[in-house]
Amino acid sequence: QAPQPSSQGPDRRGAMAAVALARPAGAPSAAGVLSLLEEQENQLRVAALKRLNEVVDLFWHEIADYLPDIESLYEDSSFPNRELAALVASKVFYHLEEYDDALRLALGAGQLFDLGERTEYVEKVVAVAIDEYVRLRTSNFEAELKQKDIQPVDANLEDVVKRMFDRCQEDKAFKQGLGMAIESRRLDMVKTFIMGSDDVPEMLRYCQTCATTVVASKAFRERILKVIIDIYTSKKEDVNYTALCQCYFILNEPGEVAKILRDLLSKGDPQSRLMAYQVAFDAVDNENQHFCNVLLKSPLLKPKEPPAPAPAAEAPAEGAADAAASPPAADAMQVDAAAAKEAEEFGELSEEGKEHLGQLRKILSGRSSIDLHLEFLHRNNRSDLLLLEIIKNSLDPKNSITHNATVMAHGLMQCGTTSVVFLRKNLEWLARATNWAKFSATASLGVIHKGHIKESRSVLSTYLPSGGGQRGSPYSEGGALYAMGIIHANHFDLETKNYLLEQLHNAQSTEILQHGACLGLGLVCMATCDEGVYEELKQTLYTDTAVAGEAAAYAIGLVMVGSANERVISELLAYAHDTQHEKIVRGCALALAMMMFRREEEAEGLIQQMLLDKDPILRYGACFGIALAYAGTSQNAAIRRLLHISVSDVSDDVRRAAVLSLGFVMCNQPDQLPGVVKLLSESYNPHVRYASAMALGIACAGSSNKEAHALLQPLMSDVMDFVRQGAVIAMGLLYMQTSPGSTDRVKVFREKLLKVIGDKHEDVMTRFGAILANGIMDAGGRNSSASFFSNSGVLRPGAAIGFCLFAQMWYWYPLIHMFSLVLAPNALIGLTDKLKIPKNFSVKSGARPSLFAYPEPLQPPKKEEQVKAATAVLSTAAKAKALKEKKEKESELKKAAPSADADMDDKASITEAASTKGGDAVSVAGTAVSAAATPGTTVVGSVATESVAASDLGSEHMEVDEQAAAASSAQAASASKDAASSSAGPKGDEKAGASGDADGSGEKAEDGDKKEGEGKGSEEKDAKASKPEPTEEILNNPCRVLKAQMQHISFPSEIDGQPVRYTPILRGDRRVGFILLQDNRPDEAEELFLEDEKKEDEEDEKEPEPPEPFEWTDDA
């Protein structure tokens, strides 16, 4: 019998509760435990909560009904186990997927919320806690920058995050902890995780990569880089100078880089000197002229008594001096003042040190890299001139658009190779260009000779404006000035700048010359922020002539790239509203966009102002402003804004620009772009479809991405001609530097291009795109590719600006030449400390050679393959004719057999005569080949040694009865075989015996015929096919290394069992570009790439030695 309630004491009730809680395993309900929550005794309720905490994962659906009671216990300050109530309630909310409430109560649970449990509940709530912490810290960071009030962070939330940091350190999960610290803006923990890891250099590299690719805020990115710099500078050994200098480059601190370079040179050891050269090459590769100019001006890197300097090395420094009024130049003056004092601390360099400093200055001036790239592109030029010939011959010579496209495609194919063989052979064809086509054709010479700055004037001397009264065509002269700018693009030269300024002054009456001079001037002074040049261009802009004004606006943008100069911005905006010329408004809008390059949040004010403008052209420029300001950041806010504009703006031009700009913003994550533009590529608006294709081409250039291909493929068959054009050009970008050995898609695409070009029914815009795509795919002699990033991973200004102006071909074809700015050679060039190229340095590519080989050049069609159109033959007539021919051949063979010689050669000639007697259905270029031969097979015994391909007898020819043809072929073959066997004499028997042929001379005759028909070529082909392809190859210095090939490149310590002589100073970190090499055997003589040839040239040009001294006498 149960005891009476009135007689129960506290101990008795506790025992009863224990009995009630001790349910059998697998209890079907928690109702009994939940009923205890209604008791007034805290001890019972605590016992109930403990039990509920154990079974909450099973009975959370029942406990959910009691959540108000449990939460009230947590909120009751007098309840002894408030934390336990919070924990139980948090778990119930977790199961209800109310994660915010689960987090709130978990934080209230304090230490009872055990992070060490590793359950799904703990992991999820911790993830929500970190997300909330990151959100609060990020918003507080932004508020701090804007000097606004910050929101306090809950101490319990701080505690959870702190415990997670501790857990990462205990588990040695340093990268996870570092990622969490970066996201939550905890610079103190960033440093803690880097210094506390087992591999500090790797953590520094990882942190720098995250900062430059993941962090969206420019301000916080700079703070992380400063932390990395502090760690590097605190280290005394194993400092990664290339990474450290990249941090200084991003922070725009050339003075610190100058100190590092001087310090490395002062050490005197070869390894430090090589590292200084490597840092200098990286600085030039980043394409920031102003940064390199400040380095050249620094007293730390100037000899105290400079010899007569080469103009090449000093010109950039003078160019920087011209920009004294600009803010960057003012900074440079402050840097110089501080550096002058530090130069005295380093002391004077020795004679050898001065020589090394001269080498370093030559690298920083950009001349070394230009010369080496020119030599590489010229020597490794693999342009297929036959392809150009085929394109030229398949086009209507009277069509100026396709003619212009061919000239431009040739320029891109030969970009930087200095090869004009095709143009020399086709001067008459080239002379057909008129007006602006002549302007573009002349400018294409600048693309071909890009980087050939030493000879730019002599190369273009025929076309440049002459000093006398007689002038040539203004189109060719203007094109030559534009070409000069392309040759010197991003490589400042004071003499060229002055020459172009002079031509601009002299051309006040000719806007075509002004157009060329402005574009050339903008390219030469690109990113120098030269105020003097800006004032000159502004005067041309204010003349309010459409053609010259547009070029002047573009040039202002080029000169002021990334400067965000407020005065220039206000003047351009005001003039864009005043002028009536759309071309000038568009030029001003693009110039404003270029000035915001990589400014990110700083550009928001201008972008917002332009987006709200009623003029659609300024909104168009705002889209490119977003593209260039956030290029390579993949920032979500920028992507969202562009997507919103792409579906909401009333102007097709603005929508097109918005979609196209996605390619710029997401160029650092090209694999993600196809998913973003998938729906846009199916839009009803053709402008959006065109832009989605171009965005894919720009971002995925050279990647041969399958998803991008799948989106572009249907667009190549679009109903709109300009959409097809954009798809074809984008596909050409996609398959840049792609070998047929890596994917069959590129081979199919090349065939498609030739078909489109040759199809006279195809729209001219699409054919224009197909011709241009051929030039893009084979750019730079098949040795260059479009790349947004330098070899050291920094965004290239030239590439972003080049793509931006290339996209303006929608309005102005001559801007297609700006694509040359995008191209970068795929070269791996090893250099010694003398900046020479050693021959005996090699790298190993751990991939099949065919995977990255050059495409096979087209073969000229052989005479035997030039098949004439077959005449139509009825099947009944063909059968009757075949029967008649059979009887005639048999009678002829019988007559010829007795008198024929038994030699195999004579038998072959009889067979040839028999097999070619009546085959008049098809005539093959002067040699008789029987139409009876099946397409794709070789005609046995005929003069034609090559097979007649099926495509040669394709749809362009009349239909021929194939069965009759096959029958007559079989009859001819059997007849020749019978004749050969019946005429076998003593000689035939001897030959058969000698060869060991058990079947007599019939098969021997067949073999002889086969040898005559196929020759040695087929045997070699079979042998080559049967031989397995090697799985790796050795590449000799210098060599082409594609982006996809870099992962397979390694630097072996031995080659053919011999230890290598040269090892890279950046072993393993760099697999493309310029690599400085350490000589392990400096006492041995070096085999250098260009020195041997120079010696041979000198010997050839050497004058004979003078005669030995002698005395002259009159007796002679």
Side-chain angles (χ1 to χ4, degrees):
Q1 184 178 2
Q4 296 297 322
S6 59
S7 63
Q8 287 181 352
D11 296 338
R12 184 69 177 165
R13 283 199 294 270
M16 177 182 171
V19 172
L21 290 173
R23 287 187 174 275
S29 174
V33 181
L34 289 168
S35 64
L36 293 175
L37 295 175
E38 300 173 0
E39 295 287 339
Q40 296 302 313
E41 293 292 335
N42 286 339
Q43 192 172 359
L44 288 174
R45 289 188 285 190
V46 169
L49 287 173
K50 288 181 179 178
R51 180 59 183 161
L52 289 175
N53 187 41
E54 295 172 5
V55 299
V56 66
D57 292 332
L58 295 175
F59 301 109
W60 59 269
H61 51 284
E62 294 182 40
I63 304 172
D65 295 333
Y66 289 82
L67 267 177
D69 296 334
I70 299 173
E71 282 195 81
S72 65
L73 291 176
Y74 162 63
E75 292 166 359
D76 184 2
S77 58
S78 62
F79 185 68
N81 264 18
R82 296 177 60 236
E83 291 84 0
L84 182 59
L87 183 63
V88 173
S90 172
K91 290 183 178 181
V92 175
F93 275 119
Y94 160 73
H95 285 291
L96 291 172
E97 298 185 3
E98 296 288 343
Y99 299 125
D100 291 338
D101 289 324
L103 172 62
R104 174 176 58 84
L105 291 162
L107 295 178
Q111 295 299 319
L112 290 182
F113 179 56
D114 185 8
L115 302 184
E117 285 187 5
R118 308 293 175 97
T119 61
E120 289 184 11
Y121 160 73
V122 171
E123 298 295 336
K124 179 62 182 177
V125 173
V126 165
V128 175
I130 292 172
D131 289 343
E132 178 65 13
Y133 185 72
V134 167
R135 186 188 66 78
L136 289 171
R137 291 281 303 180
T138 303
S139 63
N140 287 345
F141 181 80
E142 299 297 334
E144 183 184 342
L145 291 176
K146 297 174 183 177
Q147 297 181 346
K148 294 182 179 179
D149 295 334
I150 62 174
Q151 183 180 354
V153 181
D154 186 357
N156 290 326
L157 184 59
E158 289 267 15
D159 181 63
V160 169
V161 174
K162 180 180 179 300
R163 284 190 282 158
M164 276 305 298
F165 282 136
D166 295 339
R167 177 172 146 186
C168 288
Q169 288 179 314
E170 290 171 8
D171 297 345
K172 296 190 179 297
F174 296 109
K175 285 188 176 180
Q176 289 86 335
L178 178 62
M180 196 164 65
I182 290 174
E183 286 195 9
S184 59
R185 305 291 193 266
R186 289 286 299 272
L187 291 174
D188 56 332
M189 294 308 299
V190 167
K191 191 168 186 177
T192 300
F193 277 109
I194 292 175
M195 298 303 292
S197 67
D198 300 330
D199 189 354
V200 175
E202 174 59 28
M203 286 294 290
L204 282 166
R205 190 181 300 111
Y206 177 75
C207 183
Q208 188 169 344
T209 303
C210 291
T212 53
T213 58
V214 177
V215 177
S217 169
K218 183 180 179 183
F220 185 66
R221 184 186 310 131
E222 291 176 351
R223 294 192 186 185
I224 294 176
L225 293 176
K226 287 178 181 177
V227 170
I228 294 173
I229 289 171
D230 289 342
I231 296 173
Y232 272 128
T233 51
S234 64
K235 293 174 65 178
K236 301 299 181 185
E237 298 178 356
D238 298 330
V239 178
N240 187 341
Y241 287 104
T242 55
L244 175 59
C245 291
Q246 286 299 338
C247 293
Y248 283 129
F249 177 85
I250 296 170
L251 295 173
N252 195 25
E253 296 183 11
E256 298 298 326
V257 177
K259 288 182 193 174
I260 292 173
L261 292 174
R262 180 59 184 264
D263 181 48
L264 288 170
L265 286 180
S266 301
K267 288 182 179 179
D269 60 294
Q271 190 165 0
S272 298
R273 186 168 68 251
L274 289 171
M275 185 58 72
Y277 293 166
Q278 186 71 62
V279 168
F281 271 118
D282 287 352
V284 172
D285 192 35
N286 293 337
E287 294 186 2
N288 188 329
Q289 284 198 86
H290 176 72
F291 192 90
C292 293
N293 292 343
V294 175
L295 286 176
L296 286 166
K297 283 188 63 181
S298 171
L300 290 169
L301 300 178
K302 268 188 176 180
K304 286 191 177 180
E305 298 177 0
E314 295 299 329
E318 295 173 20
D322 292 339
S326 65
D331 296 341
M333 292 174 65
Q334 295 175 3
V335 169
D336 291 346
K341 297 180 181 178
E342 291 167 358
E344 298 176 1
E345 298 175 7
F346 280 101
E348 192 172 350
L349 291 169
S350 63
E351 289 300 320
E352 187 180 7
K354 289 179 180 178
E355 182 184 344
H356 297 153
L357 181 59
Q359 292 272 44
L360 184 70
R361 291 180 63 80
K362 185 180 178 185
I363 297 170
L364 289 172
S365 70
R367 300 307 192 253
S368 293
S369 56
I370 290 171
D371 293 343
L372 291 166
H373 276 152
L374 267 179
E375 191 67 33
F376 172 80
L377 291 172
H378 179 70
R379 288 179 172 273
N380 293 275
N381 186 5
R382 295 291 191 281
S383 295
D384 196 345
L385 298 184
L386 181 60
L387 174 62
L388 282 166
E389 200 69 39
I390 291 172
I391 293 173
K392 179 178 77 74
N393 293 335
S394 61
L395 298 172
D396 181 4
K398 296 179 182 177
N399 191 321
S400 64
I401 296 178
T402 52
H403 180 279
N404 192 16
T406 310
V407 175
M408 289 179 169
H410 170 261
L412 294 178
M413 278 188 187
Q414 303 285 10
C415 180
T417 64
T418 69
S419 172
V420 289
V421 176
F422 179 78
L423 297 182
R424 289 180 187 276
K425 288 182 177 178
N426 297 279
L427 288 174
E428 185 180 345
W429 169 81
L430 185 64
R432 290 176 184 161
T434 57
N435 299 333
W436 285 107
K438 181 179 285 189
F439 179 92
S440 290
T442 312
S444 71
L445 291 174
V447 178
I448 295 168
H449 292 277
K450 181 175 178 285
H452 201 193
I453 53 182
K454 292 179 183 176
E455 306 293 335
S456 60
R457 294 281 285 273
S458 60
V459 165
L460 300 170
S461 58
T462 311
Y463 308 97
L464 287 169
S466 55
Q470 185 178 4
R471 301 186 72 92
S473 166
Y475 293 100
S476 60
E477 290 180 354
L481 295 174
Y482 182 21
M484 181 168 283
I486 294 173
I487 291 174
H488 289 266
N490 223 355
H491 293 289
F492 180 85
D493 181 70
L494 183 63
E495 184 182 349
T496 305
K497 182 192 102 170
N498 293 334
Y499 173 78
L500 289 171
L501 279 173
E502 180 188 350
Q503 294 302 323
L504 183 60
H505 291 150
N506 297 339
Q508 296 301 320
S509 59
T510 312
E511 61 178 352
I512 301 162
L513 283 176
Q514 285 180 309
H515 188 90
C518 286
L519 288 176
L521 198 56
L523 287 167
V524 171
C525 301
M526 183 175 169
T528 57
C529 306
D530 193 323
E531 293 279 349
V533 173
Y534 164 67
E535 292 297 332
E536 294 288 347
L537 291 169
K538 187 172 70 171
Q539 296 307 314
T540 306
L541 177 68
Y542 285 174
T543 58
D544 207 42
T545 54
V547 173
E550 180 188 29
Y554 285 140
I556 289 171
L558 287 167
V559 173
M560 294 289 175
V561 165
S563 66
N565 189 309
E566 292 183 5
R567 181 173 74 88
V568 179
I569 290 171
S570 61
E571 290 176 353
L572 285 177
L573 269 176
Y575 191 69
H577 286 111
D578 292 343
T579 185
Q580 299 299 313
H581 295 289
E582 285 191 0
K583 290 171 77 71
I584 295 179
V585 177
R586 187 177 302 109
C588 290
L590 265 293
L592 290 168
M594 286 187 269
M595 291 172 65
M596 289 298 157
F597 175 69
R598 286 313 298 265
R599 286 289 173 170
E600 300 182 28
E601 296 92 347
E602 298 172 36
E604 281 300 319
L606 177 63
I607 290 170
Q608 191 63 26
Q609 182 182 352
M610 293 173 72
L611 281 175
L612 295 175
D613 200 284
K614 63 181 181 180
D615 189 343
I617 301 177
L618 285 176
R619 298 202 303 273
Y620 174 90
C623 292
F624 280 102
I626 297 172
L628 294 176
Y630 293 97
T633 61
S634 294
Q635 195 186 73
N636 290 332
I639 295 170
R640 277 197 300 269
R641 180 184 283 182
L642 289 171
L643 289 173
H644 174 71
I645 297 169
S646 69
V647 296
S648 63
D649 201 279
V650 295
S651 169
D652 284 338
D653 290 342
V654 179
R655 296 177 70 175
R656 186 177 68 248
V659 178
L660 199 146
S661 297
L662 289 169
F664 289 81
V665 177
M666 299 186 68
C667 66
N668 63 327
Q669 294 180 356
D671 294 339
Q672 304 295 324
L673 184 61
V676 175
V677 300
K678 185 177 187 302
L679 292 176
L680 294 172
S681 68
E682 301 167 1
S683 170
Y684 71 93
N685 190 322
H687 292 265
V688 173
R689 297 200 301 272
Y690 168 88
S692 62
M694 290 297 290
L696 285 169
I698 288 170
C700 304
S703 66
S704 61
N705 186 296
K706 285 185 180 180
E707 294 178 13
H709 174 93
L711 293 180
L712 291 172
Q713 191 67 37
L715 294 177
M716 289 175 64
S717 307
D718 198 273
V719 293
M720 295 298 295
D721 52 0
F722 64 83
V723 177
R724 295 198 299 275
Q725 182 196 64
V728 167
I729 292 174
M731 197 77 92
L733 284 164
L734 187 69
Y735 287 118
M736 286 185 80
Q737 301 295 308
T738 303
S739 173
S742 59
T743 174
D744 291 334
R745 299 193 303 271
V746 66
K747 185 178 179 182
V748 174
F749 176 61
R750 284 183 181 273
E751 293 170 355
K752 169 80 173 175
L753 286 181
L754 289 177
K755 184 178 178 183
V756 169
I757 293 168
D759 186 359
K760 292 180 174 56
H761 302 289
E762 182 61 79
D763 193 272
V764 69
M765 288 189 71
T766 309
R767 297 174 79 190
F768 182 95
I771 296 167
L772 209 57
N774 267 310
I776 290 171
M777 287 179 75
D778 296 338
R782 294 178 171 171
N783 289 297
S784 297
S785 64
S787 174
F788 267 102
F789 295 92
S790 68
N791 295 324
S792 55
V794 176
L795 185 71
R796 295 172 54 217
I801 301 302
F803 264 131
C804 176
L805 292 174
F806 171 71
Q808 308 314 309
M809 69 174 181
W810 180 275
Y811 303 101
W812 195 232
Y813 279 160
L815 292 177
I816 290 173
H817 294 309
M818 292 292 184
F819 188 77
S820 59
L821 299 178
V822 177
L823 298 174
N826 297 111
L828 187 154
I829 303 176
L831 299 171
T832 65
D833 60 346
K834 303 289 185 185
L835 303 186
K836 303 295 183 184
I837 306 176
K839 287 185 176 180
N840 48 351
F841 168 65
S842 301
V843 298
K844 184 167 77 172
S845 172
R848 293 181 290 109
S850 64
L851 208 57
F852 305 107
Y854 289 102
E856 289 292 332
L858 295 178
Q859 297 298 326
K862 297 186 178 179
K863 292 182 178 181
E864 293 84 353
E865 295 176 353
Q866 295 173 356
V867 183
K868 292 182 181 178
T871 55
V873 182
L874 295 174
S875 58
T876 53
K879 290 177 182 177
K881 188 175 180 181
L883 186 62
K884 183 179 178 182
E885 287 175 358
K886 179 185 175 185
K887 291 179 180 178
E888 288 178 357
K889 289 172 187 175
E890 287 178 354
S891 61
E892 285 178 7
L893 288 171
K894 287 177 182 177
K895 291 177 183 177
S899 58
D901 190 359
D903 197 305
M904 289 299 169
D905 293 337
D906 290 340
K907 293 174 192 173
S909 64
I910 295 167
T911 309
E912 180 182 346
S915 62
T916 59
K917 179 73 176 176
D920 57 349
V922 179
S923 174
V924 184
T927 62
V929 178
S930 173
T934 307
T937 61
T938 303
V939 181
V940 180
S942 68
V943 179
T945 59
E946 296 292 332
S947 61
V948 182
S951 60
D952 294 337
L953 298 174
S955 58
E956 292 184 2
H957 304 300
M958 301 292 288
E959 291 186 2
V960 183
D961 191 318
E962 295 183 3
Q963 291 182 354
S968 59
S969 174
Q971 290 165 1
S974 62
S976 61
K977 189 172 179 179
D978 294 341
S981 59
S982 63
S983 61
K987 290 183 181 178
D989 294 336
E990 287 177 11
K991 288 190 177 183
S995 64
D997 187 3
D999 296 333
S1001 61
E1003 287 187 22
K1004 181 66 183 175
E1006 237 181 42
D1007 291 342
D1009 291 343
K1010 184 177 179 182
K1011 285 178 185 176
E1012 284 186 13
E1014 297 181 2
K1016 295 180 181 178
S1018 61
E1019 293 178 7
E1020 291 175 1
K1021 210 175 198 179
D1022 294 340
K1024 191 175 180 181
S1026 62
K1027 186 179 179 182
E1029 186 180 5
T1031 56
E1032 59 185 36
E1033 63 176 328
I1034 298 296
L1035 304 175
N1036 295 318
N1037 187 37
C1039 57
R1040 183 183 78 148
V1041 175
L1042 304 183
K1043 184 179 178 182
Q1045 191 178 7
M1046 285 194 290
Q1047 59 183 330
H1048 303 289
I1049 296 296
S1050 61
F1051 302 100
S1053 56
E1054 290 186 357
I1055 295 179
D1056 297 332
Q1058 298 294 325
V1060 296
R1061 176 171 178 175
Y1062 298 99
T1063 53
I1065 194 77
L1066 297 179
R1067 189 176 181 87
D1069 291 345
R1070 194 74 55 80
R1071 295 179 177 85
V1072 71
F1074 297 106
I1075 297 180
L1076 273 296
L1077 304 174
Q1078 192 169 0
D1079 190 353
N1080 299 323
R1081 300 194 290 272
D1083 299 332
E1084 299 181 10
E1086 291 184 310
E1087 293 182 36
L1088 302 176
F1089 186 65
L1090 299 176
E1091 294 299 316
D1092 296 342
E1093 296 170 12
K1094 287 181 181 176
K1095 288 177 183 176
E1096 291 176 5
D1097 293 341
E1098 288 173 3
E1099 289 176 3
D1100 292 341
E1101 297 175 5
K1102 196 173 182 182
E1103 294 183 4
E1105 295 182 2
E1108 295 180 2
F1110 61 92
E1111 294 182 4
W1112 174 262
T1113 60
D1114 294 334
D1115 297 339

